[in-house]
Amino acid sequence: MSYRTTPAIDYVENVAPGSGALPPRAWFASSDAKSLSLNGNWRFRLSATADAEDESFAAEGYDTGDWAEVAVPGHWVLQGGGVFGSPIYTNHLYPFPVDPPHVPTENPTGDHVRSFDLPADWPGDGGAVLRFDGVESCARVWLNGTDLGEFKGSRLPHEFAVGLLLKPTGNVLAVRVHQWSAGSYLEDQDQWWLPGIFRDVTLLHRPADSALDFFVHAGFDHVTGEGTLRVDSDVDGRVSVPALDIDVATGESVTVPVRPWTAETPYLYDGVLATGGERVPLRIGFRTVALEDGLIKVNGKPLLFKGVNRHEWHPEQGRALDVETMRADVLLMKRHNLNAVRTSHYPPHPAFLDLCDEYGLWVVDECDLETHGFTEQAWRDNPVDDDRWTPALLDRAARMVERDKNHPSVVIWSLGNEAGTGRGLTAMAEWIHGRDGSRLVHYEGDIDCRDTDVYSRMYAGHAEVERIGAGLDGGTRKRRELPFILCEYGHAMGNGPGGIADYQRLFESYGRLQGGFIWEWIDHGITHPELGFAYGGDFGEELHDGNFVCDGLVFPDRTPSPGLVEYKKVIEPVRIEGDGADGTVRVTNAYDFADLSHLEFEFSYQVDGVPTGAHTLAVPPLGPGESAEVKLPAAAPDGNGDEVRWTVRALLAEDTSWSGRGHEVAWAQRTVAPRAPLPAATGAGPAADGDRIVLGPASFDARTGALRSIGGVDVTGLRLDVWRAPTDNDEGASWQDDVRYGVRWRQLGLHRMRHRLDGVESGDDALTVRTRVAPAAREVGLSTVYRWTSDGTRLRLTVSVAPEGDWTVPLPRLGVRFGLPAASTDSAVWFGSGGEAYPDTKAAAKLLQWDASIGELQTPYVRPQENGARSDVRWAELGGLRIEGEPEFWFSARRWTNEQLDAAGHLTDLTPGETVWVNLDHGQHGIGSQSCGPGPLPQYFLKAEPAEFSFVFSVID
């Protein structure tokens, strides 16, 4: 139920952005003026409603001795072991009745109190400012009993003038924070609802004549190589840049030769803005952003975004990130070839943008605005088309732009996300264009590009993206003349995303397509003592969207997922092509700005997956877009029947700020000589031995033909397997019922296949077992024949599969599964892909000899699902057996069945058993991105059609 507030708390439901705060201004981390961090432990009291307690707690002398404590920055629901409430996850549904601007009476409200003394050297002159960098969702502030005001706009800074209120000792700062407010309607992002003071609280001394707002304009002329610097400042002063011999007054322009800033070459000049009372360090990057020839250009060159969407997240602290966690994100991005970040869907902590400036990442800086929940009523009453809310929207736009305008990494402003359309968005775009003409404006929901400079979409399929690239998409004339980006694509939920290599080929084929941003960076799992990582519903939420919050390229602990490894390969900035048959390969520089002088190239041959030695490959320092034929340094070795391949690797030649020398940037592999065909393994015939049939090293059940052992190694339950624990992308999004293959597989019954024995035939040279594999209640099936032969030492299995009936869905997988004793099967060695790979996630499948424990073969997706398959496997050894395939196969092994994996909701639900279950797959269905985007492309379907494949088993001596 919504309610009418009493006058004392009517600000909670007021659509205005707040009162009492100073105008927004440029953020800077430090200056020579004093500052005092007020982070730390604060006294805390939680109330169930906004009006449960009066304001007496804010008065001087109020006794908070019996209150609890919480850490600031922090979210109270992630502290106190559940005493202070729980997180709530929704994708787009509001977790309260939609009755704007009203919010429920049940409105958790946290009173925070912090006492502090001024440092002994705190100046007695001048003023002071109290700055809050982020509070969710509405705060009212008192200092020493004086009401300073209130504010909304959770991920944006707010400052209050407090100089006249400060005392040398015994200052009392009181902050009342409401979880729900009118501002909550503007913050319906796909993430956890987490109230609290989650960013820094800082007291800033403001000397007389100190810096207020300033705007660093640092353009670059790519024709002349000169940069033009002008710093506009509210307070007159001087700007000095020693490396450029610049010393000019604010407001004056100076043009000098400079090194430009780009994400690939992030050169920054140290400078100082000096006013009469303060010196503010500047880090200046010269670059020019323009919309020219229908393209986004920086310094005269078109960009190709190889980006990711990033929510701020930590599994224990939520959105309360420290700088080292932010740095860890940036370093991981750089090491995986990413060049861009969209700050979905709010401005990040400003220190993150400092890191993007320093290390080099293009940034689409997005405003703290999303009203996605209004889709449930066809956008009726949507605040962005209601003039009463426009001041709040403009306030959010201004606080983002003014805070972040001096970052060279920020090249595009974004109005927000999934907020429909309306007059408020138009007002925001007009204001931003008027305030900062040096950057472009983005908003995906502006389908006709009336207010924006970029045509942006999310999750468009490959075919549509190609039509857009070719200019065949229609739309308004303005839209047809604009560049296109996928602000979200490649939904990285669970196993996946698939198909991103196919997107990248389109991006590189059509100039209008300027790349995109994978959704998203990190799984938003919350550390949980019983569940490992918790997701939506694990805290008893009334409404939730399950594990849809876990859709990142890194796991909650920031371990890279196979999806990030795949993306790194897909977007690598060096292309190495050709089969080397003529003794050369073609190397192409795919950077936008950098040459290849910072890389060294290594060449090696591998025999049966084992390198035979490395050689230096001489590659010239190619400029962007340039290619060269490069001679291979050595003749291929004789494999004597083993497969011979070569690998070329592009490595950092020297240490960089983001990685050390030898870091692999790009690579390619090719086959020089294929392996010899597998032996026929014939000559020994089957022989009856009581209730067994013996064939070479193997024994079988005489009645059923089931394999029991090979050379003393017990084998359990070998039979055809078509089921995999559906991935999040198999399950698909709820609005795509017609093609949700995980759902259709269950409807058909592929998770409960029945195996009918039709015959066991013991011939002179083979044991043949005929079966039919089919789901109950359906007429479709798979006629399956297992033919076993042996030469006395090796055992060969040939499986022939013929579909029967009308199969209207592809198969999840096709292969055989069997069990080995866990006690003697603790690791595996194989020649194939080193990491997880599926038909449309194989770009990063580097084929070498590898070894791993059975545990290491599992990919720990937060919600368990099909995982860990190694592709293009030639042979594998585990449990005392060597298994060779013809053709190559997918290999996986785990200490639980696929059915147990399917039934698990969290990793802690999986209990290792006494059997290691091994899958040898002839085929796998593709992965796609259908947890939100398109499913697998047709070429990655595993169609139900006739198939034959073989494996040769032998005992390892």
Side-chain angles (χ1 to χ4, degrees):
M1 299 289 293
S2 61
Y3 71 104
R4 295 303 299 164
T5 58
T6 61
I9 58 169
D10 61 1
Y11 63 89
V12 174
E13 292 186 339
N14 194 322
V15 299
S19 64
L22 295 170
R25 64 182 182 127
W27 190 93
F28 51 91
S30 64
S31 75
D32 64 349
K34 295 290 184 181
S35 66
L36 176 64
S37 172
L38 297 179
N39 295 345
N41 290 331
W42 290 46
R43 291 291 185 175
F44 178 75
R45 176 182 65 187
L46 182 64
S47 303
T49 65
D51 58 353
E53 301 286 350
D54 61 26
E55 301 166 9
S56 61
F57 82 101
E60 295 182 272
Y62 187 91
D63 184 6
T64 61
D66 60 347
W67 286 23
E69 285 190 345
V70 294
V72 171
H75 305 277
W76 69 68
V77 294
L78 295 182
Q79 304 181 56
V83 174
F84 304 138
S86 300
I88 299 170
Y89 166 61
T90 59
N91 169 28
H92 75 280
L93 296 175
Y94 289 105
F96 48 79
V98 181
D99 183 23
H102 307 304
V103 294
T105 299
E106 297 81 6
N107 187 358
T109 295
D111 291 332
H112 301 68
V113 175
R114 168 72 190 263
S115 298
F116 65 94
D117 300 333
L118 295 178
D121 59 351
W122 190 268
D125 62 328
V129 166
L130 179 65
R131 182 173 69 205
F132 294 87
D133 281 316
V135 183
E136 183 176 334
S137 73
C138 173
R140 188 175 178 187
V141 185
W142 295 262
L143 180 62
N144 294 331
T146 298
D147 186 354
L148 301 181
E150 77 283 340
F151 61 89
K152 308 177 189 78
S154 298
R155 290 92 186 176
L156 294 161
H158 294 81
E159 294 182 330
F160 297 90
V162 296
L164 297 177
L165 300 176
L166 291 172
K167 303 182 298 183
T169 61
N171 294 284
V172 178
L173 175 59
V175 184
R176 172 163 284 175
V177 180
H178 306 282
Q179 174 156 21
W180 310 123
S181 69
S184 301
Y185 284 99
L186 304 180
E187 296 171 6
D188 190 27
Q189 289 103 349
D190 171 15
Q191 58 184 313
W192 296 95
W193 298 87
L194 298 172
I197 305 172
F198 67 93
R199 286 186 185 156
D200 307 289
V201 181
T202 311
L203 183 68
L204 304 169
H205 179 237
R206 297 284 79 207
D209 205 23
S210 60
L212 295 177
D213 190 28
F214 59 92
F215 197 161
V216 177
H217 303 274
F220 177 72
D221 187 327
H222 65 279
V223 176
T224 66
E226 294 177 319
T228 299
L229 176 67
R230 187 185 81 248
V231 178
D232 296 331
S233 175
D234 287 353
V235 176
D236 291 342
R238 296 195 69 80
V239 176
S240 60
V241 185
L244 296 175
D245 198 26
I246 290 176
D247 185 353
V248 297
T250 54
E252 293 185 6
S253 296
V254 59
T255 300
V256 294
V258 297
R259 292 175 59 179
W261 188 97
T262 74
E264 296 167 7
T265 56
Y267 194 82
L268 294 171
Y269 289 91
D270 290 324
V272 173
L273 167 63
T275 66
E278 187 174 19
R279 292 173 58 84
V280 179
L282 304 177
R283 302 210 76 191
I284 302 167
F286 289 89
R287 58 103 186 96
T288 295
V289 183
L291 181 64
E292 294 178 351
D293 307 317
L295 297 173
I296 305 165
K297 293 184 179 182
V298 172
N299 301 341
K301 294 185 178 181
L303 298 185
L304 183 58
F305 290 118
K306 302 170 182 179
V308 69
N309 287 275
R310 175 186 176 270
H311 278 305
E312 293 179 314
W313 187 251
H314 187 281
E316 283 89 35
Q317 279 77 52
R319 287 188 283 279
L321 296 191
D322 57 59
V323 173
E324 288 313 306
T325 299
M326 300 178 214
R327 190 185 309 275
D329 280 346
V330 171
L331 293 179
L332 270 176
M333 291 175 187
K334 293 292 289 187
R335 291 168 185 166
H336 287 84
N337 293 331
L338 278 75
N339 72 359
V341 175
R342 176 177 174 231
T343 70
S344 54
H345 298 293
Y346 49 82
H349 192 292
F352 179 77
L353 299 179
D354 286 340
L355 294 168
C356 293
D357 294 343
E358 177 183 351
Y359 292 100
L361 288 168
W362 308 114
V363 175
V364 177
D365 198 0
E366 193 149 274
C367 197
D368 192 8
L369 173 62
E370 180 166 337
T371 64
H372 200 171
F374 283 91
T375 58
E376 297 301 306
Q377 49 270 4
W379 297 107
R380 187 178 65 254
D381 298 326
N382 184 7
V384 304
D385 199 29
D386 184 333
D387 290 338
R388 295 175 300 168
W389 294 80
T390 299
L393 303 184
L394 290 173
D395 179 74
R396 290 173 184 241
R399 290 188 182 279
M400 173 184 69
V401 171
E402 303 296 6
R403 190 196 77 166
D404 297 342
K405 59 182 178 285
N406 294 327
H407 290 281
S409 57
V410 176
V411 293
I412 296 177
W413 301 116
S414 180
L415 303 181
N417 183 71
E418 292 177 315
T421 58
R423 291 163 286 176
L425 288 163
T426 297
M428 292 171 70
E430 290 176 348
W431 185 90
I432 293 175
H433 277 124
R435 175 59 174 147
D436 180 20
S438 68
R439 294 176 174 94
L440 308 184
V441 173
H442 164 275
Y443 175 63
E444 180 268 343
D446 184 11
I447 195 67
D448 292 327
C449 303
R450 182 184 64 178
D451 301 321
T452 53
D453 305 308
V454 181
Y455 178 28
S456 176
R457 292 280 303 284
M458 53 177 69
Y459 306 112
H462 298 78
E464 183 180 3
V465 171
E466 184 161 23
R467 288 196 300 272
I468 293 170
L472 304 176
D473 55 305
T476 64
R477 178 176 179 179
K478 180 183 178 183
R479 192 182 86 179
R480 294 195 307 270
E481 294 174 347
L482 291 179
F484 176 81
I485 63 170
L486 277 170
C487 66
E488 295 178 22
Y489 81 111
H491 198 251
M493 185 175 177
N495 188 333
I500 55 175
D502 303 278
Y503 275 115
Q504 193 66 22
R505 281 190 284 271
L506 295 174
F507 297 158
E508 296 177 6
S509 298
Y510 297 94
R512 185 189 184 192
L513 306 181
Q514 294 200 253
F517 298 80
I518 295 289
W519 185 269
E520 64 164 307
W521 177 241
I522 189 169
D523 286 342
H524 294 204
I526 294 177
T527 301
H528 191 282
E530 286 88 36
L531 303 177
F533 291 115
Y535 49 75
D538 288 334
F539 298 97
E541 299 101 305
E542 179 184 28
L543 292 174
H544 67 85
D545 286 285
N547 68 310
F548 201 70
V549 77
C550 295
D551 45 15
L553 292 173
V554 299
F555 298 129
D557 63 0
R558 286 180 160 74
T559 300
S561 77
L564 181 58
V565 177
E566 174 81 356
Y567 194 38
K568 174 186 178 181
K569 174 62 178 169
V570 166
I571 60 176
E572 62 188 8
V574 180
R575 300 294 187 213
I576 304 162
E577 300 167 310
D579 58 13
D582 62 353
T584 66
V585 294
R586 174 166 287 273
V587 176
T588 301
N589 180 352
Y591 285 105
D592 292 329
F593 297 91
D595 64 26
L596 300 188
S597 60
H598 64 295
L599 300 178
E600 57 188 10
F601 289 77
E602 177 188 277
F603 175 88
S604 65
Y605 284 107
Q606 300 87 44
V607 177
D608 199 33
V610 177
T612 62
H615 306 268
T616 298
L617 193 63
V619 177
L622 301 168
E626 293 181 348
S627 298
E629 297 290 336
V630 178
K631 182 175 176 57
L632 302 182
D638 186 351
N640 294 315
D642 286 332
E643 183 171 355
V644 179
R645 297 172 62 82
W646 58 252
T647 302
V648 174
R649 304 169 67 214
L651 313 171
L652 288 180
E654 302 291 344
D655 291 347
T656 69
S657 62
W658 49 269
S659 195
R661 179 181 180 181
H663 168 78
E664 184 177 87
V665 173
W667 59 274
Q669 287 186 315
R670 297 292 185 274
T671 298
V672 176
R675 62 184 174 134
L678 292 184
T682 58
D689 182 11
D691 62 353
R692 300 184 308 148
I693 295 174
V694 176
L695 177 60
S699 66
F700 299 80
D701 185 287
R703 183 179 64 84
T704 64
L707 178 66
R708 294 292 180 237
S709 66
I710 302 174
V713 177
D714 292 337
V715 179
T716 303
L718 188 149
R719 63 185 187 179
L720 191 77
D721 192 15
V722 300
W723 181 246
R724 73 185 189 194
T727 67
D728 290 313
N729 286 306
D730 289 337
E731 297 286 17
S734 59
W735 57 88
Q736 299 171 320
D737 281 338
D738 56 330
V739 287
R740 296 173 66 194
Y741 288 110
V743 174
R744 295 179 68 187
W745 291 337
R746 287 189 202 278
Q747 290 172 343
L748 186 59
L750 300 189
H751 59 307
R752 48 177 175 77
M753 300 290 273
R754 301 290 188 263
H755 296 252
R756 186 183 75 203
L757 178 63
D758 287 342
V760 178
E761 303 168 5
S762 183
D764 293 337
D765 61 350
L767 174 66
T768 302
V769 181
R770 302 183 184 279
T771 69
R772 186 175 190 271
V773 183
R778 305 290 182 178
E779 64 178 359
V780 298
L782 299 170
S783 175
T784 307
V785 178
Y786 308 90
R787 187 174 188 273
W788 298 94
T789 61
S790 177
D791 60 4
T793 301
R794 289 170 294 194
L795 180 71
R796 182 177 181 122
L797 167 64
T798 297
V799 182
S800 301
V801 180
E804 298 176 347
D806 183 16
W807 284 84
T808 59
V809 297
L811 296 172
R813 70 173 351 124
L814 181 66
V816 295
R817 175 174 65 171
F818 58 91
L820 296 174
S824 57
T825 311
D826 58 358
S827 62
V829 179
W830 71 97
F831 175 18
S833 72
E836 175 183 285
Y838 291 82
D840 54 349
T841 63
K842 285 175 57 177
K846 185 180 288 184
L847 306 182
L848 296 169
Q849 275 197 36
W850 307 91
D851 65 87
S853 69
I854 299 303
E856 290 169 336
L857 287 171
Q858 316 311 308
T859 305
Y861 295 114
V862 175
R863 185 192 73 81
Q865 56 197 270
E866 166 63 31
N867 73 88
R870 270 56 182 179
S871 72
D872 302 296
V873 175
R874 279 69 167 150
W875 56 260
E877 296 179 348
L878 75 167
L881 295 179
R882 179 180 174 91
I883 307 159
E884 300 171 86
E886 192 173 65
E888 292 78 20
F889 58 98
W890 273 272
F891 157 69
S892 57
R894 52 181 64 99
R895 289 192 171 95
W896 36 78
T897 65
N898 293 331
E899 291 75 17
Q900 290 168 327
L901 183 65
D902 186 15
H906 296 83
L907 292 173
T908 51
D909 296 332
L910 295 169
T911 303
E914 296 181 357
T915 302
V916 169
W917 293 96
V918 180
N919 274 94
L920 311 176
D921 292 318
H922 175 64
Q924 282 268 359
H925 187 60
I927 296 296
S929 184
Q930 203 170 1
S931 51
C932 194
L937 288 168
Q939 61 264 37
Y940 303 120
F941 282 27
L942 179 58
K943 297 178 181 178
E945 56 190 13
E948 185 172 282
F949 47 95
S950 298
F951 303 101
V952 172
F953 300 83
S954 56
V955 177
I956 300 171
D957 185 0

